[in-house]
Amino acid sequence: MIEPVDTEVESITQIANLYIKQSYSDTLPKELHDALNNIFTKGHKKSEDTHVSNSSTLEYRKAVISTKEVQFSKRVEHRVIRGRRATVYNALCLYSLIGTAGTKKVFQDYYIAKSFTDKREFKLLDEFAKKELSTEMLFFGVSQSSFDNIKSKLLDKNFDLFTNQLPSPFQRLKADDVDLSPLSLLYDRGINWQSVIETYTESDKKFKSKEYIEAQNILQKVADKRLLKLPLFKELSANIDSQINENNEAWEYLQNILN
């Protein structure tokens, strides 16, 4: 394997796997694989993949993908320029909010502003922010503020889309959390989201009826424990546990008085 010194060691797919907390050997969800391929490598003028885009709307690739080929076995792979792996993270962030076409437009708008006009706008994010988010996205803590936070960072003159990381579109536990692991769930074809939503709704209904043990039992039946780490599930579970503990403490207090 020939490795140019000016490219990252990992492939685009491997870098993406790191950001969604998967190992190198794991298969990237097909939707994410296809999206990254479309954003960074699909549509070159030459069959040898020398990284010359067919369209002027993809000029941003010059700032991301190396023009040198990397031979891996019998395959030729595109590699990210060294120091610009954050671009893959940013592509995943943007794709989860505005899809492939929207992500490509944001990258190109940024590239033009950085290279020529220096005027950043990104009105596209405002348009998408007005659209209703799917129930699945709400489970991941995506909200209007997700768009606002990302646009604010993009408009920051000190922010470099090719080397710095955007705020995560998902609800985060820490301000510096760049974990994109929710993407491995969001694009997991084995998850029945209708069933997930019904389970959450049933547990929440029991909680609001003050049937806390029943609500807790419903959550414990969730087969894929990764789902319990989603913001809405975590919040509901914490509220249930808090009420159960409060009731237990009240009962113990009463018992002590009676004794």
Side-chain angles (χ1 to χ4, degrees):
M1 180 176 178
I2 303 171
E3 284 288 354
V5 296
D6 64 339
T7 64
E8 294 291 344
V9 174
E10 302 90 352
S11 67
I12 294 174
T13 298
Q14 289 172 331
I15 293 173
N17 270 337
L18 288 174
Y19 285 126
I20 65 175
K21 307 301 182 184
Q22 295 190 148
S23 67
Y24 284 175
S25 59
D26 287 339
T27 301
L28 194 68
K30 186 178 186 304
E31 286 83 353
L32 298 181
H33 176 276
D34 292 350
L36 290 174
N37 182 50
N38 195 314
I39 293 166
F40 292 123
T41 67
K42 186 177 180 181
H44 292 271
K45 286 182 178 179
K46 299 182 181 179
S47 59
E48 293 85 358
D49 290 336
T50 55
H51 183 64
V52 180
S53 71
N54 281 322
S55 170
S56 61
T57 62
L58 300 176
E59 290 293 308
Y60 63 84
R61 289 178 175 176
K62 295 177 180 179
V64 182
I65 306 298
S66 173
T67 57
K68 294 184 179 180
E69 299 172 349
V70 177
Q71 189 74 37
F72 182 77
S73 296
K74 296 182 180 180
R75 263 193 347 264
V76 174
E77 292 186 351
H78 297 285
R79 288 295 171 93
V80 176
I81 295 172
R82 189 175 298 280
R84 301 197 171 180
R85 60 192 300 152
T87 312
V88 178
Y89 167 89
N90 292 334
L92 292 172
C93 287
L94 291 168
Y95 172 72
S96 65
L97 290 179
I98 59 180
T100 303
T103 300
K104 291 162 79 172
K105 179 166 176 51
V106 168
F107 270 115
Q108 184 62 15
D109 287 350
Y110 173 82
Y111 179 79
I112 292 174
K114 182 179 178 66
S115 304
F116 305 107
T117 68
D118 200 34
K119 182 180 180 182
R120 305 182 185 184
E121 293 183 339
F122 307 107
K123 294 180 180 179
L124 179 72
L125 288 173
D126 292 330
E127 297 173 13
F128 277 93
K130 295 175 184 177
K131 295 183 179 180
E132 185 176 353
L133 290 167
S134 66
T135 306
E136 292 93 331
M137 295 301 280
L138 294 176
F139 267 90
F140 288 94
V142 177
S143 64
Q144 171 68 47
S145 63
S146 299
F147 293 89
D148 294 339
N149 292 339
I150 285 180
K151 183 174 181 180
S152 176
K153 185 62 71 172
L154 286 170
L155 291 175
D156 184 348
K157 297 295 184 181
N158 295 317
F159 178 80
D160 189 323
L161 186 59
F162 303 133
T163 59
N164 303 138
Q165 292 176 324
L166 289 167
S168 171
F170 307 108
Q171 188 179 80
R172 295 164 294 155
L173 299 179
K174 299 180 296 183
D176 61 348
D177 189 0
V178 295
D179 179 14
L180 293 180
S181 58
L183 285 174
S184 63
L185 274 175
L186 185 59
Y187 294 100
D188 187 334
R189 293 183 174 182
I191 294 178
N192 184 332
W193 281 103
Q194 182 178 351
S195 176
V196 171
I197 294 167
E198 289 174 353
T199 299
Y200 174 86
T201 302
E202 184 181 358
S203 179
D204 186 54
K205 184 176 180 181
K206 291 292 185 182
F207 172 74
K208 291 176 178 175
S209 299
K210 299 184 179 181
E211 301 175 67
Y212 305 125
I213 299 299
E214 290 82 352
Q216 187 180 63
N217 289 336
I218 291 170
L219 290 185
Q220 290 176 346
K221 293 178 182 178
V222 175
D224 192 334
K225 301 306 178 185
R226 295 178 301 167
L227 294 167
L228 298 179
K229 296 180 180 180
L230 296 179
L232 286 184
F233 271 110
K234 289 181 70 173
E235 182 179 1
L236 177 58
S237 180
N239 289 337
I240 292 171
D241 291 343
S242 177
Q243 287 298 325
I244 291 175
N245 291 335
E246 187 176 317
N247 288 352
N248 289 339
E249 290 174 1
W251 174 250
E252 290 177 4
Y253 178 72
L254 179 61
Q255 289 290 96
N256 290 334
I257 292 177
L258 293 176
N259 293 333

PDB file of all heavy atoms in Angstrom, residues 22-34:
ATOM      1  N   GLN A  22     -17.647   3.588  15.579  1.00  0.00           N
ATOM      2  CA  GLN A  22     -17.547   2.232  15.072  1.00  0.00           C
ATOM      3  C   GLN A  22     -16.085   1.919  14.791  1.00  0.00           C
ATOM      4  O   GLN A  22     -15.269   2.820  14.643  1.00  0.00           O
ATOM      5  CB  GLN A  22     -18.369   2.053  13.781  1.00  0.00           C
ATOM      6  CG  GLN A  22     -19.863   2.213  13.978  1.00  0.00           C
ATOM      7  CD  GLN A  22     -20.652   1.782  12.750  1.00  0.00           C
ATOM      8  OE1 GLN A  22     -21.749   1.291  12.857  1.00  0.00           O
ATOM      9  NE2 GLN A  22     -20.092   1.959  11.559  1.00  0.00           N
ATOM     10  N   SER A  23     -15.758   0.644  14.731  1.00  0.00           N
ATOM     11  CA  SER A  23     -14.374   0.250  14.437  1.00  0.00           C
ATOM     12  C   SER A  23     -14.119   0.320  12.940  1.00  0.00           C
ATOM     13  O   SER A  23     -15.057   0.402  12.138  1.00  0.00           O
ATOM     14  CB  SER A  23     -14.122  -1.175  14.931  1.00  0.00           C
ATOM     15  OG  SER A  23     -14.877  -2.107  14.171  1.00  0.00           O
ATOM     16  N   TYR A  24     -12.838   0.283  12.576  1.00  0.00           N
ATOM     17  CA  TYR A  24     -12.452   0.337  11.162  1.00  0.00           C
ATOM     18  C   TYR A  24     -13.168  -0.737  10.343  1.00  0.00           C
ATOM     19  O   TYR A  24     -13.556  -0.521   9.202  1.00  0.00           O
ATOM     20  CB  TYR A  24     -10.947   0.109  11.013  1.00  0.00           C
ATOM     21  CG  TYR A  24     -10.081   1.286  11.389  1.00  0.00           C
ATOM     22  CD1 TYR A  24      -8.695   1.166  11.393  1.00  0.00           C
ATOM     23  CD2 TYR A  24     -10.630   2.514  11.737  1.00  0.00           C
ATOM     24  CE1 TYR A  24      -7.877   2.235  11.740  1.00  0.00           C
ATOM     25  CE2 TYR A  24      -9.823   3.579  12.075  1.00  0.00           C
ATOM     26  CZ  TYR A  24      -8.445   3.436  12.085  1.00  0.00           C
ATOM     27  OH  TYR A  24      -7.650   4.488  12.416  1.00  0.00           O
ATOM     28  N   SER A  25     -13.301  -1.911  10.954  1.00  0.00           N
ATOM     29  CA  SER A  25     -13.827  -3.054  10.207  1.00  0.00           C
ATOM     30  C   SER A  25     -15.343  -3.032  10.051  1.00  0.00           C
ATOM     31  O   SER A  25     -15.887  -3.779   9.234  1.00  0.00           O
ATOM     32  CB  SER A  25     -13.419  -4.356  10.906  1.00  0.00           C
ATOM     33  OG  SER A  25     -13.910  -4.378  12.235  1.00  0.00           O
ATOM     34  N   ASP A  26     -16.028  -2.193  10.824  1.00  0.00           N
ATOM     35  CA  ASP A  26     -17.492  -2.128  10.720  1.00  0.00           C
ATOM     36  C   ASP A  26     -17.903  -1.531   9.382  1.00  0.00           C
ATOM     37  O   ASP A  26     -17.212  -0.671   8.825  1.00  0.00           O
ATOM     38  CB  ASP A  26     -18.079  -1.279  11.850  1.00  0.00           C
ATOM     39  CG  ASP A  26     -18.013  -1.991  13.193  1.00  0.00           C
ATOM     40  OD1 ASP A  26     -17.908  -3.230  13.179  1.00  0.00           O
ATOM     41  OD2 ASP A  26     -18.048  -1.305  14.224  1.00  0.00           O
ATOM     42  N   THR A  27     -19.030  -1.989   8.901  1.00  0.00           N
ATOM     43  CA  THR A  27     -19.559  -1.454   7.648  1.00  0.00           C
ATOM     44  C   THR A  27     -20.337  -0.175   7.927  1.00  0.00           C
ATOM     45  O   THR A  27     -21.249  -0.167   8.754  1.00  0.00           O
ATOM     46  CB  THR A  27     -20.499  -2.474   6.972  1.00  0.00           C
ATOM     47  OG1 THR A  27     -19.765  -3.680   6.715  1.00  0.00           O
ATOM     48  CG2 THR A  27     -21.039  -1.922   5.661  1.00  0.00           C
ATOM     49  N   LEU A  28     -19.972   0.884   7.258  1.00  0.00           N
ATOM     50  CA  LEU A  28     -20.680   2.152   7.423  1.00  0.00           C
ATOM     51  C   LEU A  28     -22.090   1.992   6.858  1.00  0.00           C
ATOM     52  O   LEU A  28     -22.268   1.391   5.791  1.00  0.00           O
ATOM     53  CB  LEU A  28     -19.940   3.258   6.663  1.00  0.00           C
ATOM     54  CG  LEU A  28     -20.335   4.708   6.968  1.00  0.00           C
ATOM     55  CD1 LEU A  28     -19.922   5.075   8.386  1.00  0.00           C
ATOM     56  CD2 LEU A  28     -19.661   5.645   5.969  1.00  0.00           C
ATOM     57  N   PRO A  29     -23.118   2.484   7.572  1.00  0.00           N
ATOM     58  CA  PRO A  29     -24.483   2.391   7.026  1.00  0.00           C
ATOM     59  C   PRO A  29     -24.522   2.878   5.582  1.00  0.00           C
ATOM     60  O   PRO A  29     -23.897   3.880   5.242  1.00  0.00           O
ATOM     61  CB  PRO A  29     -25.286   3.308   7.951  1.00  0.00           C
ATOM     62  CG  PRO A  29     -24.567   3.215   9.259  1.00  0.00           C
ATOM     63  CD  PRO A  29     -23.104   3.123   8.894  1.00  0.00           C
ATOM     64  N   LYS A  30     -25.245   2.156   4.737  1.00  0.00           N
ATOM     65  CA  LYS A  30     -25.240   2.425   3.301  1.00  0.00           C
ATOM     66  C   LYS A  30     -25.584   3.875   2.975  1.00  0.00           C
ATOM     67  O   LYS A  30     -24.969   4.489   2.107  1.00  0.00           O
ATOM     68  CB  LYS A  30     -26.216   1.494   2.584  1.00  0.00           C
ATOM     69  CG  LYS A  30     -26.162   1.618   1.058  1.00  0.00           C
ATOM     70  CD  LYS A  30     -27.093   0.648   0.382  1.00  0.00           C
ATOM     71  CE  LYS A  30     -26.918   0.672  -1.141  1.00  0.00           C
ATOM     72  NZ  LYS A  30     -27.084   1.995  -1.736  1.00  0.00           N
ATOM     73  N   GLU A  31     -26.582   4.433   3.671  1.00  0.00           N
ATOM     74  CA  GLU A  31     -26.981   5.811   3.393  1.00  0.00           C
ATOM     75  C   GLU A  31     -25.822   6.778   3.619  1.00  0.00           C
ATOM     76  O   GLU A  31     -25.623   7.719   2.841  1.00  0.00           O
ATOM     77  CB  GLU A  31     -28.171   6.212   4.267  1.00  0.00           C
ATOM     78  CG  GLU A  31     -29.500   5.609   3.857  1.00  0.00           C
ATOM     79  CD  GLU A  31     -29.702   4.197   4.383  1.00  0.00           C
ATOM     80  OE1 GLU A  31     -28.745   3.634   4.962  1.00  0.00           O
ATOM     81  OE2 GLU A  31     -30.803   3.656   4.213  1.00  0.00           O
ATOM     82  N   LEU A  32     -25.056   6.547   4.683  1.00  0.00           N
ATOM     83  CA  LEU A  32     -23.929   7.425   4.987  1.00  0.00           C
ATOM     84  C   LEU A  32     -22.789   7.211   3.998  1.00  0.00           C
ATOM     85  O   LEU A  32     -22.149   8.173   3.563  1.00  0.00           O
ATOM     86  CB  LEU A  32     -23.439   7.182   6.416  1.00  0.00           C
ATOM     87  CG  LEU A  32     -24.441   7.477   7.543  1.00  0.00           C
ATOM     88  CD1 LEU A  32     -23.810   7.206   8.899  1.00  0.00           C
ATOM     89  CD2 LEU A  32     -24.931   8.915   7.466  1.00  0.00           C
ATOM     90  N   HIS A  33     -22.539   5.965   3.656  1.00  0.00           N
ATOM     91  CA  HIS A  33     -21.490   5.659   2.677  1.00  0.00           C
ATOM     92  C   HIS A  33     -21.790   6.332   1.342  1.00  0.00           C
ATOM     93  O   HIS A  33     -20.922   6.990   0.747  1.00  0.00           O
ATOM     94  CB  HIS A  33     -21.389   4.145   2.486  1.00  0.00           C
ATOM     95  CG  HIS A  33     -20.414   3.732   1.427  1.00  0.00           C
ATOM     96  ND1 HIS A  33     -20.750   3.695   0.077  1.00  0.00           N
ATOM     97  CD2 HIS A  33     -19.099   3.364   1.493  1.00  0.00           C
ATOM     98  CE1 HIS A  33     -19.715   3.318  -0.622  1.00  0.00           C
ATOM     99  NE2 HIS A  33     -18.696   3.106   0.204  1.00  0.00           N
ATOM    100  N   ASP A  34     -23.030   6.177   0.878  1.00  0.00           N
ATOM    101  CA  ASP A  34     -23.414   6.760  -0.412  1.00  0.00           C
ATOM    102  C   ASP A  34     -23.379   8.283  -0.370  1.00  0.00           C
ATOM    103  O   ASP A  34     -22.985   8.941  -1.341  1.00  0.00           O
ATOM    104  CB  ASP A  34     -24.821   6.289  -0.807  1.00  0.00           C
ATOM    105  CG  ASP A  34     -24.858   4.797  -1.142  1.00  0.00           C
ATOM    106  OD1 ASP A  34     -23.778   4.193  -1.254  1.00  0.00           O
ATOM    107  OD2 ASP A  34     -25.971   4.247  -1.283  1.00  0.00           O
TER     108      ASP A  34
END
